[in-house]
Amino acid sequence: MRSDEAKLGKQQAPGRSLYNALGYTAEELSKPLVAVVSSYNEIVPGHMNLDKITEAVKLGIAMAGGTPVVFPAIAVCDGIAMGHVGMKYSLVTRDLIADSTECMMEAHRFDGMVCIPNCDKNVPGLLMAAARVNVPTIFVSGGPMLAGHVDGCKRSLSSMFEAVGSEAAGLISEEKLTEYENKVCPTCGSCSGMYTANSMNCLTEAIGMGLRGNGTIPAVYSERIRLAKHAGMQIMELIKKDIKPRDIMTKEAFMNALTVDMALGCSTNSMLHLPAIAHECGIELDVSIANELSAKTPNLCHLAPAGPTYMEDLNEAGGVYAVMNELTKKNLLNTDLITVTGKTVGENIKGHEIIDPEVIRPLDNPYSEVGGIAVLKGNIAPDTCVVKRSAVVDEMLVHSGPARVFDCEEDAIAAIKGGKINKGDVVVIRYEGPKGGPGMREMLNPTSAIAGMGLGASVALITDGRFSGASRGASIGHVSPEAAMGGPIAFIKEGDIIDIDIPNHSINARISDEEFEERKKGWTPKEPAIQKGYLKRYRALVTSANRGAVLELPR
């Protein structure tokens, strides 16, 4: 056992004395030591139940003959951090989580790991750590929130953000806004639409790192506790069989995950996280491959914000395995890959049929013949940019309009809520990229304000920042290169006409190459608002969004 390095021999007698101080018995130390990485805290609604998940995992490990050892991982609530400086500290935690977990795992020589994340950055951060450390690992999340109800309809956090815009536009009363505030988030759990947290938890099933239901069983269901116990038991099987994350997370497994991503209509943030996780596995994942996969993968689900269904509905309709099983009917997945069940993808999903064809459409009646995410290129984004195509109304798939340019999110929100954005406009928000922010903030506030004010079918938004999975409309993010790196988005001017063609994967300003070069003369990037602490170090190391915003030492 790997942990023997820290437990056995006279040289490790001092270490054993410290295990004694912790109350461990000789019997416990004779068994595999399994790290239980818990993201429990009291600030993230998706994490407030993780203490119970953690206890269930520990019990499962002990039942199966292991010794569980808990240590924590941090988490930021993106909804609470949204719309102010706090959002600059969200994406950056992904790498802090990966780094700190790696340090704990390597320092203490654990034999295996159970990761208990739930919200946006914890899942990818812990997957990155799992790939680095490469000891047997399994994921079990805290589960999604149940949808709220307002006026007899299911609602979620995206409804709340849009209600703010509606109230600002005089479309709803202040009393109705308060009703939304009190009803849209009724339970613990990750917010109830196909936002980033739920996207990534579903993709742990698709890539083979989580058990069935990990992405969809609601947080408040007792079934979630049983799942956690089974995850604790299963990690002992993985240790016994020496099945490791890099055995599971192969290039083919990432292709499976991207394919399921297209069918589910996942958050555009998956286009940041999957390349970053792949990078830790030694795999370079070009996000442009998404278009190739999208062309042959129909979009089968329209969960909020794209449609009126929620994670609890996906769970009841058959879950991720039903989606995957349906995709195999067109041979869209590699079913021979090993997973944390100890079985192959094909063995896992066999017999899992669609229960509700309105929540998970069959292949012969998809929401769209193409997948939920599109990657665009053009003279604004020579490398790439990304849009959640499944959440764009048909009339905005092709759009041309004048640029309304803002150098930060706050200025854009003020203009939107001040009634200064008109039908047909293209809102451009720049200097919000990984380096420019620094930290690449999510733009849920401006996109929700646009939708809430009734402009979602007539106004586009492009940014070198990113979007929450709760964003909908022609919201095009991850523009690369970003403005802070001298990308063309830095040289767009107020009134420039921008042409967006999502079906043909293009985005261009009606500006000649010569004019772009002229505008670059004498340019200096805008100084970031924060130039100290962790964000200063992050800015120095972070790469472009099209590479997953991974950290690398300067060359």
Side-chain angles (χ1 to χ4, degrees), residues 303-317:
L303 280 79
T309 53
Y310 295 81
M311 294 304 297
E312 63 208 66
D313 302 312
L314 178 60
N315 188 60
E316 296 302 321

Side-chain angles (χ1 to χ4, degrees), residues 266-505:
C266 290
S267 164
T268 52
N269 280 317
S270 62
M271 295 294 104
L272 274 178
H273 299 321
L274 288 175
I277 299 161
H279 180 77
E280 298 293 350
C281 295
I283 299 164
E284 294 307 310
L285 191 63
D286 183 349
V287 295
S288 297
I289 192 70
N291 288 337
E292 180 184 328
L293 295 175
S294 177
K296 58 186 180 182
T297 306
N299 178 225
L300 305 181
C301 300
H302 259 194
L303 280 79
T309 53
Y310 295 81
M311 294 304 297
E312 63 208 66
D313 302 312
L314 178 60
N315 188 60
E316 296 302 321
V320 175
Y321 275 19
V323 174
M324 294 176 72
N325 187 52
E326 188 68 12
L327 293 174
T328 62
K329 295 173 184 178
K330 281 184 66 176
N331 297 315
L332 293 173
L333 298 178
N334 186 325
T335 58
D336 295 329
L337 308 179
I338 194 67
T339 71
V340 291
T341 66
K343 300 176 182 178
T344 65
V345 170
E347 290 172 316
N348 288 343
I349 65 178
K350 185 178 180 181
H352 290 281
E353 299 292 340
I354 297 169
I355 297 170
D356 187 341
E358 288 304 309
V359 177
I360 304 171
R361 293 275 186 93
L363 287 171
D364 59 4
N365 184 35
Y367 282 101
S368 168
E369 293 292 344
V370 296
I373 289 177
V375 176
L376 316 183
K377 287 187 178 183
N379 66 2
I380 294 175
D383 290 340
T384 53
C385 57
V386 180
V387 63
K388 188 172 182 175
R389 176 179 177 150
S390 60
V392 180
V393 295
D394 289 346
E395 53 265 44
M396 288 299 290
L397 290 172
V398 178
H399 178 77
S400 296
R404 306 297 307 280
V405 182
F406 304 94
D407 284 349
C408 67
E409 178 190 13
E410 288 83 355
D411 290 350
I413 292 171
I416 295 164
K417 292 185 176 178
K420 296 178 181 178
I421 301 301
N422 305 308
K423 289 183 178 181
D425 285 349
V426 178
V427 176
V428 177
I429 306 177
R430 61 193 179 194
Y431 293 105
E432 292 284 7
K435 285 186 181 291
M440 202 179 185
R441 288 193 288 183
E442 288 185 341
M443 302 287 142
L444 179 55
N445 267 320
T447 59
S448 298
I450 288 169
M453 298 181 79
L455 297 171
S458 60
V459 170
L461 191 154
I462 67 172
T463 180
D464 53 8
R466 60 196 179 93
F467 295 109
S468 163
S471 295
R472 63 185 176 100
S475 304
I476 301 166
H478 308 193
V479 170
S480 301
E482 62 176 291
M485 295 296 291
I489 193 173
F491 309 108
I492 301 296
K493 291 184 178 179
E494 189 84 5
D496 286 343
I497 301 300
I498 294 177
D499 298 316
I500 300 166
D501 188 340
I502 294 172
N504 288 306
H505 308 123

Side-chain angles (χ1 to χ4, degrees), residues 379-380 403 405 430-431 486-498 509-524:
N379 66 2
I380 294 175
V405 182
R430 61 193 179 194
Y431 293 105
I489 193 173
F491 309 108
I492 301 296
K493 291 184 178 179
E494 189 84 5
D496 286 343
I497 301 300
I498 294 177
R510 295 182 193 174
I511 303 168
S512 66
D513 293 345
E514 293 76 17
E515 175 63 18
F516 264 127
E517 289 303 317
E518 186 64 28
R519 293 183 185 185
K520 289 180 184 179
K521 291 179 179 177
W523 169 82
T524 55

Side-chain angles (χ1 to χ4, degrees), residues 3 25 74 97 176 323 445 521:
S3 61
T25 65
I74 63 168
I97 292 162
K176 179 59 72 174
V323 174
N445 267 320
K521 291 179 179 177

